[in-house]
Amino acid sequence: MEARIVKKGQLSELLDKLAQEYDLVAPVQEETLTFFRKVSGAKDVFLEYTNSDVSPKGCFLPQNEKTFNYTYTGDSLEIVKPGDEKKTVLFGARPCDARAITTLDPVFEGEKFGDEYYSSKRENTVIIGLSCSKVLSTCFCYAFDGGPCDGTGSDLLFTEIGDKYYVEVNTEKGKVLADKYSQIFSSQGADQLAKGKEEIAKKLAGEFVRKVDLTGVKELLDDNFELPFWNGDDYKKCIGCGTCTYVCPTCHCFDIFDHTIGDFNGARFRCWDSCMYPEYTLMAGGHNPRPTRKERVRNRFMHKLKYHLDRYNMVGCVGCGRCIRKCPVNIDITKIINDLKEVAQNA
Amino acid sequence: MMGVIQQLREQAKKLLEEKKVDLVIGFGQGTELARTTPVFIDSPEGVSALTWGPFCANNLAKYLIDYKNAPGNVAVVVKGCDSRSVIRLLDDNQISRDKVVIIGVPCAGQLEWQKVAAEVKPGAGLKETADNGESFSVKTDAGDYSFNKKDYMLHRCLVCENPNPVISDITVGKELPVKNYEERFAEVSELEQMSTEEKSAYWDKQFSRCLRCYACRNVCSVCTCQVCVFDQMLPMWVSKRTNLSENTVFHITRAFHVAGRCVDCGECDRVCPMDIPLRKLNQLSPLGEFKPEDPEEFM
Ligand code: SF4
Ligand code: SF4
Ligand code: SF4
Ligand code: SF4
Ligand code: SF4
């Protein structure tokens, strides 16, 4: 694998250049929170963050997306789709969030059901990951083979070492970008920093406080849809707000509806939806196969820990810890995993 | 707080043993040192899960609705602000008085867990907390900390006029002195100083980042409609799209729906993942006592 060096002093120049030539999406600070937004240059970018409040998945699956406009003229229906996606650079995605995008890929880019809206954004976007320099108490990416300096999902991965960024070139897409700005991405001496990165990764790996053990959990869930465990406190305390799913980098459910103006014109939208809402499974006629919070809470964890694995051979969680931090009642996926592990052990 | 915790457990145990209630809803230690989580205890052996201290920010009153048709009675642990929610629920006929046992705990304030977590060594275990008037001391297995209330407490607690529950069947812990705060509506007064354009710009900025998760609504003891207008699909009053226009419809509608009934428990404000200052919105006095002749620009 190739590596480059970007001097910290040159980062602003790079970001400004990127913003000129691409849609640059990067972390920005708004009041107390950090979001990924389209920025006009380096001056808007905020890098003193550990984990943004909402994940950057919106780059590929926006919370609101117009899929087409329609006009019905009486004898014909005209459908106009949005134009081509703009070339985009997503800068500063943390390793958990970059890895999360690889868990979305098989959902939207499967052979049978490709999703052109997702794919065109994915194709047109270069992901520049940024290694973490701190581990939060809620982080547990290590449990899913991730890590604070893991490059999965990043076309380029930046790791801060002293006054430089050590840049790993992970894909062809990343290489093209680095070559394009070769006066900033220097090749000289890059290999010597590899060891520095190893050390940082090792140091950070020792900072995790949440112990997560998945032993036997998948097998337990495979064999048991019903478990007395799900009758415990978790569903009783859940307020069904869906915050956990909206901030999650791997959750990807959406709803589709039409917004009609007058009788014959309108647009079709898709917007994020959440399995934590009762309407999510409400059927015409009023039947609801997940009638209470018990079934809904179970579904969220079944999806993360079993269904995603069944379908795509990947865990549906990357351990970013957002759902833990944001859940108003402290429902904690690491506790659920460990509790399930215990159930499995005692079975 | 050890004394209070012990008493709380004893009272809960007694209620369950004597079959006065089938369930006790209280606070249990959460998965972070500075967080508690709601616990639902249905046997005398389970009471050791109960805890108390400056990390009990959640308002547990709304859970009572979940058990209103359950066969037995339910006990709930409430702080001063939460007790106002219980009254709200009683007044709105959401729960019946003879089915609930209210365990009131005088409350010296609640700390923001995120702020505390930022200071305490990650992974540390909680040993003990104590109220020292201006601050809380927090003993952990990784050292002792002190958090002054002014900087670490939830905003609502800084101007709390009901530290002692206003309704309770059992009180655990010592009554606290009650203070009145002139500055209770200071944030609203600040808003009132703004011009209409400034106010509009201020709220636009806040509303535009709303995710429309509805955590604020779901947690609110005033929001008890069986089918909320925002969940209705036919007709769909507000679409799932999040944009300033739809978000504003949500916020203004909800503000009007809670006007005059909001008990200022501050839960909406606490749970909002986007830090939207909802307490400020719902405190706006003209909404609290809406009159048709009110000027349009009061927001
Ligand atoms: S389930 Fe929670 S920890 Fe896992 S990826 Fe989603 S938000 Fe992050
Ligand atoms: S954030 Fe917590 S309370 Fe809200 S739906 Fe998710 S698990 Fe339930
Ligand atoms: S508002 Fe008052 S009663 Fe409520 S948590 Fe704060 S100090 Fe306690
Ligand atoms: S809790 Fe916050 S983000 Fe969620 S709907 Fe309410 S105001 Fe919007
Ligand atoms: S609107 Fe907010 S402060 Fe008022 S009762 Fe509801 S949750 Fe509490």
Side-chain angles (χ1 to χ4, degrees):
Chain A
M1 190 183 44
E2 257 187 78
R4 307 280 170 93
I5 289 177
V6 171
K7 290 202 194 91
K8 264 190 171 171
Q10 281 188 298
L11 185 67
S12 296
E13 187 191 338
L14 174 67
L15 292 173
D16 285 338
K17 286 205 161 117
L18 290 173
Q20 269 168 25
E21 292 196 35
Y22 300 83
D23 272 359
L24 177 63
V25 177
V28 298
Q29 194 179 33
E30 278 180 33
E31 304 202 2
T32 45
L33 307 163
T34 314
F35 296 97
F36 278 83
R37 301 259 200 251
K38 194 180 154 199
V39 296
S40 60
K43 65 173 191 336
D44 303 336
V45 180
F46 175 70
L47 290 181
E48 306 306 309
Y49 83 106
T50 312
N51 211 332
S52 59
D53 288 85
V54 181
S55 87
K57 74 178 169 193
C59 260
F60 309 99
L61 183 69
Q63 181 163 14
N64 304 279
E65 182 163 37
K66 190 196 274 186
T67 53
F68 55 78
N69 287 311
Y70 54 81
T71 313
Y72 179 62
T73 56
D75 41 31
S76 75
L77 180 67
E78 197 195 336
I79 298 220
V80 184
K81 292 194 179 179
D84 282 344
E85 289 299 334
K86 282 193 69 183
K87 295 264 175 216
T88 302
V89 172
L90 166 59
F91 178 84
R94 293 297 184 193
C96 53
D97 291 338
R99 174 180 280 263
I101 293 159
T102 67
T103 73
L104 299 178
D105 287 343
V107 179
F108 293 96
E109 303 199 305
E111 271 171 34
K112 264 182 34 219
F113 306 106
D115 182 293
E116 56 186 293
Y117 301 98
Y118 179 91
S119 301
S120 60
K121 289 187 200 54
R122 191 76 172 90
E123 266 157 39
N124 283 297
T125 304
V126 184
I127 300 173
I128 304 185
L130 181 61
S131 291
C132 300
S133 47
K134 212 169 110 188
V135 169
L136 293 174
S137 68
T138 42
C139 295
F140 60 108
C141 54
Y142 75 91
F144 306 113
D145 301 323
C149 303
D150 170 46
T152 311
S154 295
D155 296 306
L156 295 170
L157 178 69
F158 278 47
T159 305
E160 189 182 329
I161 305 180
D163 60 353
K164 301 183 188 73
Y165 288 104
Y166 172 65
V167 181
E168 284 157 276
V169 182
N170 294 339
T171 64
E172 192 51 37
K173 235 189 205 172
K175 185 169 166 8
V176 171
L177 191 91
D179 287 344
K180 185 166 166 189
Y181 300 101
S182 56
Q183 70 285 24
I184 297 177
F185 288 89
S186 128
S187 306
Q188 247 182 7
D191 294 338
Q192 281 130 43
L193 284 184
K195 212 166 153 257
K197 188 205 150 172
E198 290 290 302
E199 275 162 24
I200 289 175
K202 217 169 125 196
K203 179 185 148 278
L204 290 171
E207 288 182 14
F208 289 97
V209 292
R210 276 186 150 67
K211 306 265 172 291
V212 182
D213 186 353
L214 288 142
T215 318
V217 171
K218 169 75 166 59
E219 293 75 12
L220 176 76
L221 298 178
D222 281 344
D223 294 342
N224 301 278
F225 184 64
E226 300 287 350
L227 276 176
F229 171 76
W230 301 115
N231 296 328
D233 277 5
D234 287 301
Y235 90 88
K236 293 179 192 152
K237 64 189 172 194
C238 173
I239 63 165
C241 62
T243 300
C244 46
T245 58
Y246 278 4
V247 297
C248 175
T250 66
C251 278
H252 49 262
C253 286
F254 55 81
D255 190 13
I256 296 177
F257 55 90
D258 292 346
H259 186 77
T260 308
I261 305 148
D263 288 337
F264 303 114
N265 295 307
R268 178 160 294 178
F269 288 90
R270 76 158 161 202
C271 294
W272 289 356
D273 200 353
S274 168
C275 62
M276 304 308 281
Y277 298 148
E279 309 81 54
Y280 180 87
T281 41
L282 185 63
M283 296 175 172
H287 177 65
N288 197 336
R290 290 186 206 137
T292 73
R293 292 198 304 265
K294 180 186 142 180
E295 293 82 19
R296 301 195 278 270
V297 167
R298 174 176 61 193
N299 180 72
R300 178 158 84 92
F301 295 109
M302 287 288 258
H303 190 177
K304 300 287 168 205
L305 305 171
K306 168 174 158 61
Y307 304 147
H308 212 78
L309 271 160
D310 287 343
R311 287 175 206 149
Y312 311 114
N313 201 22
M314 282 175 165
V315 189
C317 169
V318 292
C320 74
R322 283 187 182 86
C323 57
I324 305 174
R325 274 208 311 286
K326 294 284 187 185
C327 174
V329 300
N330 191 215
I331 290 175
D332 184 329
I333 184 167
T334 61
K335 182 167 188 305
I336 302 248
I337 293 173
N338 290 335
D339 286 355
L340 284 170
K341 185 207 104 185
E342 228 167 82
V343 175
Q345 258 175 359
N346 301 332
Chain B
M1 308 276 167
M2 291 312 258
V4 177
I5 296 174
Q6 210 42 50
Q7 282 177 49
L8 203 51
R9 291 177 184 170
E10 277 161 25
Q11 292 290 351
K13 193 164 176 224
K14 208 159 143 237
L15 286 170
L16 288 160
E17 272 173 355
E18 292 172 3
K19 304 250 182 293
K20 293 231 171 73
V21 301
D22 285 355
L23 185 71
V24 177
I25 308 174
F27 301 96
Q29 179 58 45
T31 63
E32 294 269 318
L33 172 131
R35 289 192 89 173
T36 59
T37 189
V39 287
F40 300 77
I41 299 163
D42 55 11
S43 71
E45 301 76 56
V47 300
S48 60
L50 284 172
T51 190
W52 173 253
F55 305 127
C56 298
N58 294 43
N59 178 349
L60 307 176
K62 197 176 184 184
Y63 291 119
L64 290 173
I65 300 179
D66 293 340
Y67 298 93
K68 73 170 168 189
N69 296 322
N73 296 347
V74 181
V76 64
V77 178
V78 298
K79 309 181 288 291
C81 49
D82 313 337
S83 72
R84 296 195 300 264
S85 285
V86 176
I87 294 193
R88 175 82 276 146
L89 293 169
L90 289 168
D91 279 2
D92 289 353
N93 275 329
Q94 290 298 328
I95 52 174
S96 47
R97 185 67 186 93
D98 53 354
K99 286 201 68 175
V100 297
V101 174
I102 305 161
I103 307 176
V105 191
C107 164
Q110 296 298 327
L111 300 174
E112 274 189 56
W113 80 265
Q114 293 92 334
K115 284 191 183 167
V116 172
E119 309 275 329
V120 174
K121 188 174 185 289
L126 183 63
K127 277 163 79 183
E128 208 184 319
T129 61
D131 173 27
N132 303 322
E134 299 290 294
S135 67
F136 282 106
S137 60
V138 175
K139 288 195 178 150
T140 81
D141 53 21
D144 298 345
Y145 300 82
S146 173
F147 296 98
N148 64 59
K149 294 186 180 175
K150 206 164 78 7
D151 299 323
Y152 290 89
M153 215 155 61
L154 290 169
H155 277 200
R156 73 188 199 222
C157 303
L158 289 169
V159 291
C160 170
E161 296 186 344
N162 297 123
N164 305 309
V166 291
I167 182 173
S168 66
D169 298 308
I170 299 167
T171 303
V172 171
K174 267 213 293 292
E175 276 215 3
L176 290 163
V178 176
K179 274 198 251 169
N180 290 323
Y181 291 91
E182 301 244 310
E183 67 275 29
R184 227 181 113 204
F185 292 97
E187 289 189 330
V188 177
S189 310
E190 260 168 50
L191 270 179
E192 278 170 355
Q193 304 305 313
M194 294 184 187
S195 68
T196 309
E197 290 73 31
E198 284 167 342
K199 278 186 243 180
S200 168
Y202 174 81
W203 287 114
D204 282 0
K205 198 165 146 224
Q206 305 296 336
F207 295 161
S208 60
R209 62 171 189 272
C210 172
L211 292 172
R212 298 258 303 287
C213 63
Y214 299 146
C216 50
R217 172 201 67 183
N218 289 11
V219 83
C220 175
S221 38
V222 168
C223 282
T224 49
C225 292
Q226 287 213 338
V227 181
C228 172
V229 279
F230 307 114
D231 291 342
Q232 262 173 43
M233 301 208 244
L234 280 173
M236 198 189 249
W237 299 104
V238 184
S239 97
K240 270 216 167 73
R241 282 161 76 197
T242 49
N243 55 39
L244 184 57
S245 148
E246 303 278 343
N247 294 0
T248 304
V249 173
F250 163 61
H251 282 282
I252 303 290
T253 310
R254 199 179 99 83
F256 272 92
H257 282 193
V258 304
R261 301 193 305 128
C262 164
V263 295
D264 197 22
C265 72
E267 274 295 83
C268 47
D269 201 286
R270 181 187 70 85
V271 303
C272 176
M274 295 292 101
D275 288 1
I276 297 173
L278 294 162
R279 216 181 126 238
K280 210 184 313 192
L281 178 67
N282 295 325
Q283 264 195 343
L284 281 167
S285 47
L287 288 179
E289 38 180 317
F290 171 71
K291 291 193 273 320
E293 57 274 23
D294 279 336
E296 254 179 46
E297 61 272 17
F298 65 78
M299 296 269 304

